[in-house]
Amino acid sequence: MSVLEEISKLLQQGRMPAVKQNVTKALEEGIPATQILEEGLLTGMSAVGERFKAGKAFIPEVMIAARAMNAGMELLKPLLGEGGPETKGTVVLGTVKGDQHDIGKNLVKMMMEGKGLKVIDLGVDVPAARYLQAAQEHHANIIACSALLTTTMNEMKAVVELVNASALAGHVKVMVGGAPVTEEFCNRIGADRYTPDAATAAEVACQLCS
Ligand code: B1M
């Protein structure tokens, strides 16, 4: 098994120290950082995402794998620099105003980063105007809103309305998700895409950015 396959396998097992060791080994073998990222770390994280989507992996496994990916990424970051891979796109992500739930939102972030997207995480309790401000500041392709409460999901409508009334209309897509959110709700408020889980959100975000 090549060192890149080893990294992918160890990441799927959530073995952070071993992932770090093998990333270092791969660098010592002269493998470019971008290749280690794409064929080792991101390949491993994609596989975890697929298993999660199929109900064959669970939240703790995803989080442990993401921790291993982040540890590997830390070693590569200084080498990726300007010659590094173009990010596939930029996503501004947050849990909407009034809502403190962030476990699902954090999973979405991990899956998106695992797909090579740059994620600007605004955290929880994010007012509509803040998404817009961040999207402008970071030239984002997507605003992604998570909500877990029926009382807060309407804040997503405010996000869509603000985007539509701004210069970002037509340029920035709005994605919505979270337990009470449905396809029907997404269509009703005029958001661009609803996705039911974090892995699908990451896939759709990549499609929207391409
Ligand atoms: Co609260 N809570 N909670 N809670 N909580 C729920 C959501 C609730 C369903 C429990 C219940 O009554 N059965 C209920 C909501 C009812 C409703 O409105 N329909 C509820 C309530 C009422 C409350 C409080 C109001 C309770 C109170 O204080 N009286 C309060 C609100 C605080 C606030 O936000 N202002 C509250 C507080 C909390 C805690 C702080 C204690 C804690 C949150 C901790 C944290 O997030 N850091 C908490 C928790 C943990 C839950 C439950 C138990 C679990 C939620 C969770 O993390 N699930 C939840 C009951 C339940 O769901 N069983 C509940 C795991 C997570 C991975 O799933 O976030 O759905 P989820 O994410 C999924 C998908 O939805 C999707 O991807 C993930 C899977 O891949 N997804 C997206 C999420 N965001 C997405 C975005 C996308 C795409 C997909 O695109 C952008």
Side-chain angles (χ1 to χ4, degrees):
M1 189 184 289
S2 77
V3 67
L4 297 179
E5 286 166 343
E6 189 72 20
I7 291 169
S8 167
K9 189 186 91 184
L10 291 164
L11 185 144
Q12 292 173 54
Q13 295 168 348
R15 293 170 59 188
M16 180 173 72
V19 167
K20 284 170 75 176
Q21 266 171 19
N22 278 271
V23 167
T24 306
K25 187 176 161 207
L27 287 171
E28 283 166 1
E29 285 180 15
I31 302 174
T34 45
Q35 197 179 346
I36 301 173
L37 177 69
E38 301 272 351
E39 295 174 29
L41 299 176
L42 298 186
T43 302
M45 200 61 207
S46 276
V48 175
E50 286 305 317
R51 284 212 304 278
F52 179 62
K53 214 169 109 180
K56 291 179 185 160
F58 300 97
I59 294 165
E61 287 163 76
V62 177
M63 291 190 156
I64 292 166
R67 194 184 58 169
M69 184 184 80
N70 287 333
M73 283 282 282
E74 283 307 311
L75 297 172
L76 297 179
K77 251 185 208 162
L79 302 165
L80 293 172
E82 289 191 353
E86 290 284 312
T87 53
K88 290 185 181 150
T90 301
V91 182
V92 165
L93 171 70
T95 302
V96 297
K97 186 175 158 194
D99 202 324
Q100 300 289 338
H101 296 85
D102 68 356
I103 299 170
K105 186 266 295 170
N106 291 342
L107 279 176
V108 172
K109 178 182 179 184
M110 288 169 196
M111 293 295 177
M112 286 183 171
E113 287 182 340
K115 288 259 176 209
L117 293 159
K118 179 175 172 190
V119 179
I120 311 295
D121 184 359
L122 301 179
V124 297
D125 193 16
V126 181
R130 177 78 190 96
Y131 287 101
L132 205 76
Q133 185 197 10
Q136 280 163 339
E137 201 177 308
H138 297 279
H139 307 289
N141 307 85
I142 295 170
I143 291 176
C145 306
S146 177
L148 262 284
L149 300 171
T150 43
T151 48
T152 59
M153 60 197 271
N154 282 316
E155 186 68 12
M156 292 172 169
K157 187 165 181 266
V159 175
V160 172
E161 285 171 355
L162 267 189
V163 170
N164 287 344
S166 76
L168 296 182
H171 299 289
V172 171
K173 304 283 181 202
V174 179
M175 291 180 63
V176 293
V181 181
T182 59
E183 185 86 53
E184 193 273 324
F185 175 77
C186 170
N187 294 337
R188 183 150 38 94
I189 66 169
D192 293 289
R193 288 299 286 271
Y194 158 76
T195 52
D197 60 71
T200 312
E203 276 168 24
V204 168
C206 283
Q207 288 163 16
L208 291 177
C209 287
S210 67

mmCIF file of all heavy atoms in Angstrom, residues 52 59 98-105 107-108 144-146 148-150 175-179 195-198 201, ligand 1:
data_model
loop_
_atom_site.group_PDB
_atom_site.id
_atom_site.type_symbol
_atom_site.label_atom_id
_atom_site.label_comp_id
_atom_site.label_asym_id
_atom_site.label_seq_id
_atom_site.Cartn_x
_atom_site.Cartn_y
_atom_site.Cartn_z
ATOM 1 N N PHE A 52 -21.007 7.843 6.090
ATOM 2 C CA PHE A 52 -21.917 8.571 6.982
ATOM 3 C C PHE A 52 -23.274 8.726 6.294
ATOM 4 O O PHE A 52 -24.330 8.501 6.881
ATOM 5 C CB PHE A 52 -21.304 9.932 7.315
ATOM 6 C CG PHE A 52 -22.141 10.801 8.211
ATOM 7 C CD1 PHE A 52 -22.465 10.401 9.506
ATOM 8 C CD2 PHE A 52 -22.609 12.033 7.772
ATOM 9 C CE1 PHE A 52 -23.232 11.206 10.335
ATOM 10 C CE2 PHE A 52 -23.374 12.846 8.593
ATOM 11 C CZ PHE A 52 -23.690 12.431 9.875
ATOM 12 N N ILE A 59 -21.797 9.967 13.962
ATOM 13 C CA ILE A 59 -21.223 11.290 14.249
ATOM 14 C C ILE A 59 -19.847 11.210 14.921
ATOM 15 O O ILE A 59 -18.916 11.888 14.487
ATOM 16 C CB ILE A 59 -22.208 12.137 15.072
ATOM 17 C CG1 ILE A 59 -23.441 12.454 14.216
ATOM 18 C CG2 ILE A 59 -21.576 13.432 15.554
ATOM 19 C CD1 ILE A 59 -24.623 12.963 15.004
ATOM 20 N N GLY A 98 -30.695 33.347 16.805
ATOM 21 C CA GLY A 98 -31.587 32.788 17.826
ATOM 22 C C GLY A 98 -31.334 31.320 18.102
ATOM 23 O O GLY A 98 -31.949 30.729 18.993
ATOM 24 N N ASP A 99 -30.451 30.721 17.324
ATOM 25 C CA ASP A 99 -30.249 29.266 17.401
ATOM 26 C C ASP A 99 -28.801 28.949 17.817
ATOM 27 O O ASP A 99 -27.858 29.423 17.185
ATOM 28 C CB ASP A 99 -30.535 28.679 16.011
ATOM 29 C CG ASP A 99 -30.880 27.209 16.058
ATOM 30 O OD1 ASP A 99 -30.296 26.492 16.885
ATOM 31 O OD2 ASP A 99 -31.724 26.772 15.262
ATOM 32 N N GLN A 100 -28.680 28.126 18.882
ATOM 33 C CA GLN A 100 -27.352 27.813 19.422
ATOM 34 C C GLN A 100 -26.858 26.429 19.009
ATOM 35 O O GLN A 100 -25.772 26.015 19.394
ATOM 36 C CB GLN A 100 -27.397 27.866 20.967
ATOM 37 C CG GLN A 100 -27.786 29.200 21.568
ATOM 38 C CD GLN A 100 -26.695 30.256 21.394
ATOM 39 O OE1 GLN A 100 -25.525 29.923 21.199
ATOM 40 N NE2 GLN A 100 -27.075 31.528 21.448
ATOM 41 N N HIS A 101 -27.674 25.684 18.272
ATOM 42 C CA HIS A 101 -27.272 24.308 17.918
ATOM 43 C C HIS A 101 -26.154 24.337 16.862
ATOM 44 O O HIS A 101 -26.333 24.952 15.815
ATOM 45 C CB HIS A 101 -28.475 23.536 17.357
ATOM 46 C CG HIS A 101 -29.582 23.345 18.342
ATOM 47 N ND1 HIS A 101 -30.556 24.287 18.549
ATOM 48 C CD2 HIS A 101 -29.844 22.332 19.194
ATOM 49 C CE1 HIS A 101 -31.391 23.850 19.487
ATOM 50 N NE2 HIS A 101 -30.981 22.663 19.904
ATOM 51 N N ASP A 102 -25.058 23.637 17.148
ATOM 52 C CA ASP A 102 -23.972 23.711 16.158
ATOM 53 C C ASP A 102 -23.351 22.371 15.781
ATOM 54 O O ASP A 102 -22.385 22.327 15.025
ATOM 55 C CB ASP A 102 -22.883 24.689 16.613
ATOM 56 C CG ASP A 102 -22.101 24.199 17.832
ATOM 57 O OD1 ASP A 102 -22.435 23.132 18.381
ATOM 58 O OD2 ASP A 102 -21.146 24.900 18.220
ATOM 59 N N ILE A 103 -23.904 21.272 16.285
ATOM 60 C CA ILE A 103 -23.268 19.974 15.990
ATOM 61 C C ILE A 103 -23.428 19.637 14.495
ATOM 62 O O ILE A 103 -22.459 19.278 13.821
ATOM 63 C CB ILE A 103 -23.838 18.866 16.900
ATOM 64 C CG1 ILE A 103 -23.551 19.226 18.365
ATOM 65 C CG2 ILE A 103 -23.247 17.504 16.541
ATOM 66 C CD1 ILE A 103 -24.245 18.360 19.391
ATOM 67 N N GLY A 104 -24.646 19.797 13.989
ATOM 68 C CA GLY A 104 -24.892 19.540 12.564
ATOM 69 C C GLY A 104 -24.115 20.510 11.693
ATOM 70 O O GLY A 104 -23.501 20.116 10.696
ATOM 71 N N LYS A 105 -24.120 21.776 12.089
ATOM 72 C CA LYS A 105 -23.382 22.795 11.315
ATOM 73 C C LYS A 105 -21.893 22.442 11.258
ATOM 74 O O LYS A 105 -21.250 22.554 10.213
ATOM 75 C CB LYS A 105 -23.613 24.161 11.980
ATOM 76 C CG LYS A 105 -23.052 25.359 11.264
ATOM 77 C CD LYS A 105 -21.686 25.755 11.741
ATOM 78 C CE LYS A 105 -21.649 26.228 13.183
ATOM 79 N NZ LYS A 105 -20.271 26.381 13.673
ATOM 80 N N LEU A 107 -20.614 19.491 11.427
ATOM 81 C CA LEU A 107 -20.447 18.345 10.509
ATOM 82 C C LEU A 107 -20.434 18.824 9.062
ATOM 83 O O LEU A 107 -19.632 18.361 8.251
ATOM 84 C CB LEU A 107 -21.603 17.355 10.684
ATOM 85 C CG LEU A 107 -21.529 16.380 11.837
ATOM 86 C CD1 LEU A 107 -22.810 15.562 11.890
ATOM 87 C CD2 LEU A 107 -20.341 15.447 11.674
ATOM 88 N N VAL A 108 -21.332 19.755 8.762
ATOM 89 C CA VAL A 108 -21.373 20.314 7.404
ATOM 90 C C VAL A 108 -20.013 20.934 7.077
ATOM 91 O O VAL A 108 -19.442 20.714 6.003
ATOM 92 C CB VAL A 108 -22.509 21.363 7.275
ATOM 93 C CG1 VAL A 108 -22.430 22.098 5.937
ATOM 94 C CG2 VAL A 108 -23.877 20.705 7.434
ATOM 95 N N ALA A 144 -24.463 29.247 3.480
ATOM 96 C CA ALA A 144 -25.085 28.006 3.957
ATOM 97 C C ALA A 144 -25.612 28.214 5.370
ATOM 98 O O ALA A 144 -24.858 28.562 6.275
ATOM 99 C CB ALA A 144 -24.069 26.874 3.937
ATOM 100 N N CYS A 145 -26.931 28.023 5.521
ATOM 101 C CA CYS A 145 -27.578 28.301 6.810
ATOM 102 C C CYS A 145 -28.107 27.014 7.426
ATOM 103 O O CYS A 145 -28.808 26.245 6.764
ATOM 104 C CB CYS A 145 -28.766 29.229 6.623
ATOM 105 S SG CYS A 145 -28.395 30.749 5.762
ATOM 106 N N SER A 146 -27.807 26.845 8.703
ATOM 107 C CA SER A 146 -28.323 25.699 9.450
ATOM 108 C C SER A 146 -29.303 26.203 10.505
ATOM 109 O O SER A 146 -29.081 27.260 11.105
ATOM 110 C CB SER A 146 -27.150 24.967 10.122
ATOM 111 O OG SER A 146 -27.609 23.899 10.919
ATOM 112 N N LEU A 148 -32.040 24.488 13.702
ATOM 113 C CA LEU A 148 -32.560 23.291 14.384
ATOM 114 C C LEU A 148 -33.904 23.545 15.055
ATOM 115 O O LEU A 148 -34.524 22.630 15.578
ATOM 116 C CB LEU A 148 -31.538 22.809 15.429
ATOM 117 C CG LEU A 148 -30.600 21.675 15.055
ATOM 118 C CD1 LEU A 148 -31.290 20.334 15.070
ATOM 119 C CD2 LEU A 148 -29.982 21.892 13.693
ATOM 120 N N LEU A 149 -34.334 24.801 15.061
ATOM 121 C CA LEU A 149 -35.573 25.137 15.749
ATOM 122 C C LEU A 149 -36.602 25.644 14.744
ATOM 123 O O LEU A 149 -36.257 26.422 13.846
ATOM 124 C CB LEU A 149 -35.319 26.233 16.804
ATOM 125 C CG LEU A 149 -34.324 25.901 17.925
ATOM 126 C CD1 LEU A 149 -34.021 27.143 18.752
ATOM 127 C CD2 LEU A 149 -34.856 24.791 18.812
ATOM 128 N N THR A 150 -37.849 25.220 14.922
ATOM 129 C CA THR A 150 -38.905 25.721 14.028
ATOM 130 C C THR A 150 -39.063 27.235 14.199
ATOM 131 O O THR A 150 -39.478 27.919 13.278
ATOM 132 C CB THR A 150 -40.251 25.022 14.323
ATOM 133 O OG1 THR A 150 -40.410 24.946 15.729
ATOM 134 C CG2 THR A 150 -40.316 23.644 13.751
ATOM 135 N N MET A 175 -27.869 27.957 0.497
ATOM 136 C CA MET A 175 -28.203 26.569 0.839
ATOM 137 C C MET A 175 -28.779 26.531 2.253
ATOM 138 O O MET A 175 -28.303 27.256 3.127
ATOM 139 C CB MET A 175 -26.945 25.689 0.801
ATOM 140 C CG MET A 175 -26.398 25.483 -0.600
ATOM 141 S SD MET A 175 -24.917 24.448 -0.582
ATOM 142 C CE MET A 175 -25.554 22.900 0.069
ATOM 143 N N VAL A 176 -29.787 25.701 2.444
ATOM 144 C CA VAL A 176 -30.393 25.596 3.772
ATOM 145 C C VAL A 176 -30.468 24.140 4.221
ATOM 146 O O VAL A 176 -30.543 23.237 3.405
ATOM 147 C CB VAL A 176 -31.817 26.225 3.791
ATOM 148 C CG1 VAL A 176 -31.756 27.731 3.575
ATOM 149 C CG2 VAL A 176 -32.732 25.585 2.754
ATOM 150 N N GLY A 177 -30.444 23.945 5.539
ATOM 151 C CA GLY A 177 -30.557 22.596 6.081
ATOM 152 C C GLY A 177 -30.705 22.621 7.590
ATOM 153 O O GLY A 177 -30.653 23.687 8.208
ATOM 154 N N GLY A 178 -30.902 21.448 8.148
ATOM 155 C CA GLY A 178 -31.150 21.324 9.591
ATOM 156 C C GLY A 178 -32.429 20.535 9.789
ATOM 157 O O GLY A 178 -33.284 20.489 8.884
ATOM 158 N N ALA A 179 -32.584 19.934 10.962
ATOM 159 C CA ALA A 179 -33.666 18.968 11.186
ATOM 160 C C ALA A 179 -35.074 19.444 10.777
ATOM 161 O O ALA A 179 -35.804 18.690 10.139
ATOM 162 C CB ALA A 179 -33.638 18.505 12.635
ATOM 163 N N THR A 195 -30.506 20.485 1.472
ATOM 164 C CA THR A 195 -29.930 19.137 1.526
ATOM 165 C C THR A 195 -30.179 18.562 2.923
ATOM 166 O O THR A 195 -30.135 19.283 3.919
ATOM 167 C CB THR A 195 -28.407 19.134 1.235
ATOM 168 O OG1 THR A 195 -27.771 20.073 2.088
ATOM 169 C CG2 THR A 195 -28.118 19.468 -0.212
ATOM 170 N N PRO A 196 -30.459 17.268 2.991
ATOM 171 C CA PRO A 196 -30.869 16.672 4.263
ATOM 172 C C PRO A 196 -29.732 16.334 5.222
ATOM 173 O O PRO A 196 -29.966 16.153 6.412
ATOM 174 C CB PRO A 196 -31.582 15.388 3.832
ATOM 175 C CG PRO A 196 -30.957 15.037 2.520
ATOM 176 C CD PRO A 196 -30.580 16.325 1.869
ATOM 177 N N ASP A 197 -28.508 16.207 4.696
ATOM 178 C CA ASP A 197 -27.404 15.815 5.580
ATOM 179 C C ASP A 197 -26.109 16.485 5.152
ATOM 180 O O ASP A 197 -26.022 17.074 4.068
ATOM 181 C CB ASP A 197 -27.245 14.279 5.601
ATOM 182 C CG ASP A 197 -26.943 13.749 4.217
ATOM 183 O OD1 ASP A 197 -25.837 13.980 3.735
ATOM 184 O OD2 ASP A 197 -27.843 13.134 3.596
ATOM 185 N N ALA A 198 -25.106 16.359 6.016
ATOM 186 C CA ALA A 198 -23.857 17.093 5.820
ATOM 187 C C ALA A 198 -23.092 16.629 4.575
ATOM 188 O O ALA A 198 -22.547 17.462 3.843
ATOM 189 C CB ALA A 198 -22.983 16.931 7.065
ATOM 190 N N ALA A 201 -24.755 17.987 1.579
ATOM 191 C CA ALA A 201 -24.522 19.437 1.517
ATOM 192 C C ALA A 201 -23.161 19.728 0.880
ATOM 193 O O ALA A 201 -23.035 20.618 0.037
ATOM 194 C CB ALA A 201 -24.589 20.039 2.923
HETATM 195 CO CO1 B1M B 1 -31.987 21.532 21.475
HETATM 196 N N1 B1M B 1 -33.675 21.124 20.543
HETATM 197 N N2 B1M B 1 -32.757 23.040 22.304
HETATM 198 N N3 B1M B 1 -30.282 21.592 22.343
HETATM 199 N N4 B1M B 1 -31.593 19.765 20.755
HETATM 200 C C1 B1M B 1 -33.711 20.023 19.594
HETATM 201 C C2 B1M B 1 -33.357 20.492 18.188
HETATM 202 C C3 B1M B 1 -35.213 19.543 19.719
HETATM 203 C C4 B1M B 1 -35.730 18.821 18.451
HETATM 204 C C5 B1M B 1 -35.378 18.662 20.983
HETATM 205 C C6 B1M B 1 -36.807 18.221 21.194
HETATM 206 O O1 B1M B 1 -37.608 18.961 21.670
HETATM 207 N N5 B1M B 1 -37.122 17.006 20.840
HETATM 208 C C7 B1M B 1 -35.946 20.886 20.029
HETATM 209 C C8 B1M B 1 -36.426 21.673 18.822
HETATM 210 C C9 B1M B 1 -37.923 21.612 18.616
HETATM 211 C C10 B1M B 1 -38.283 22.381 17.410
HETATM 212 O O2 B1M B 1 -38.153 23.565 17.343
HETATM 213 N N6 B1M B 1 -38.775 21.668 16.422
HETATM 214 C C11 B1M B 1 -34.881 21.617 20.827
HETATM 215 C C12 B1M B 1 -35.132 22.683 21.712
HETATM 216 C C13 B1M B 1 -36.594 23.045 21.924
HETATM 217 C C14 B1M B 1 -34.105 23.370 22.393
HETATM 218 C C15 B1M B 1 -34.249 24.524 23.389
HETATM 219 C C16 B1M B 1 -35.291 25.583 23.012
HETATM 220 C C17 B1M B 1 -34.531 23.887 24.748
HETATM 221 C C18 B1M B 1 -34.811 24.887 25.854
HETATM 222 O O3 B1M B 1 -33.919 25.585 26.264
HETATM 223 N N7 B1M B 1 -36.053 24.925 26.251
HETATM 224 C C19 B1M B 1 -32.832 25.125 23.417
HETATM 225 C C20 B1M B 1 -32.653 26.211 22.350
HETATM 226 C C21 B1M B 1 -31.356 26.942 22.512
HETATM 227 C C22 B1M B 1 -31.136 27.823 21.308
HETATM 228 O O4 B1M B 1 -30.671 27.349 20.302
HETATM 229 N N8 B1M B 1 -31.509 29.082 21.417
HETATM 230 C C23 B1M B 1 -32.032 23.921 23.054
HETATM 231 C C24 B1M B 1 -30.696 23.732 23.479
HETATM 232 C C25 B1M B 1 -29.932 22.634 23.182
HETATM 233 C C26 B1M B 1 -28.543 22.386 23.766
HETATM 234 C C27 B1M B 1 -27.715 23.660 23.944
HETATM 235 C C28 B1M B 1 -28.721 21.730 25.097
HETATM 236 C C29 B1M B 1 -27.955 21.330 22.750
HETATM 237 C C30 B1M B 1 -27.165 21.956 21.592
HETATM 238 C C31 B1M B 1 -25.670 21.768 21.757
HETATM 239 C C32 B1M B 1 -24.953 22.162 20.513
HETATM 240 O O5 B1M B 1 -25.445 22.088 19.388
HETATM 241 N N9 B1M B 1 -23.736 22.587 20.734
HETATM 242 C C33 B1M B 1 -29.237 20.742 22.167
HETATM 243 C C34 B1M B 1 -29.289 19.502 21.482
HETATM 244 C C35 B1M B 1 -28.014 18.697 21.492
HETATM 245 C C36 B1M B 1 -30.464 19.043 20.843
HETATM 246 C C37 B1M B 1 -30.721 17.679 20.209
HETATM 247 C C38 B1M B 1 -30.858 16.678 21.346
HETATM 248 C C39 B1M B 1 -29.678 17.164 19.238
HETATM 249 C C40 B1M B 1 -29.362 18.111 18.101
HETATM 250 C C41 B1M B 1 -28.148 17.606 17.364
HETATM 251 O O6 B1M B 1 -27.053 18.099 17.545
HETATM 252 N N10 B1M B 1 -28.338 16.537 16.555
HETATM 253 C C42 B1M B 1 -32.095 17.919 19.441
HETATM 254 C C43 B1M B 1 -33.038 16.719 19.470
HETATM 255 C C44 B1M B 1 -32.697 15.731 18.403
HETATM 256 O O7 B1M B 1 -32.414 16.104 17.285
HETATM 257 N N11 B1M B 1 -32.798 14.490 18.741
HETATM 258 C C45 B1M B 1 -32.560 19.197 20.014
HETATM 259 C C46 B1M B 1 -27.233 15.905 15.822
HETATM 260 C C47 B1M B 1 -26.911 16.721 14.570
HETATM 261 C C48 B1M B 1 -25.800 16.025 13.775
HETATM 262 O O8 B1M B 1 -28.067 16.740 13.769
HETATM 263 O O9 B1M B 1 -28.132 19.270 13.713
HETATM 264 O O10 B1M B 1 -29.994 17.863 12.693
HETATM 265 P P1 B1M B 1 -28.564 18.045 13.017
HETATM 266 O O11 B1M B 1 -27.727 18.021 11.664
HETATM 267 C C49 B1M B 1 -27.987 17.058 10.671
HETATM 268 C C50 B1M B 1 -28.958 17.516 9.584
HETATM 269 O O12 B1M B 1 -30.008 18.285 10.098
HETATM 270 C C51 B1M B 1 -28.065 18.213 8.594
HETATM 271 O O13 B1M B 1 -26.784 17.580 8.727
HETATM 272 C C52 B1M B 1 -26.692 16.842 9.945
HETATM 273 C C53 B1M B 1 -26.516 15.377 9.592
HETATM 274 O O14 B1M B 1 -25.615 15.159 8.617
HETATM 275 N N12 B1M B 1 -27.824 19.622 8.669
HETATM 276 C C54 B1M B 1 -27.633 20.339 7.526
HETATM 277 C C55 B1M B 1 -27.686 20.469 9.709
HETATM 278 N N13 B1M B 1 -27.430 21.697 9.277
HETATM 279 C C56 B1M B 1 -27.384 21.651 7.926
HETATM 280 C C57 B1M B 1 -27.141 22.643 6.975
HETATM 281 C C58 B1M B 1 -27.161 22.276 5.635
HETATM 282 C C59 B1M B 1 -27.413 20.974 5.261
HETATM 283 C C60 B1M B 1 -27.642 19.983 6.191
HETATM 284 O O15 B1M B 1 -26.941 23.137 4.618
HETATM 285 C C61 B1M B 1 -26.589 24.455 4.909
#
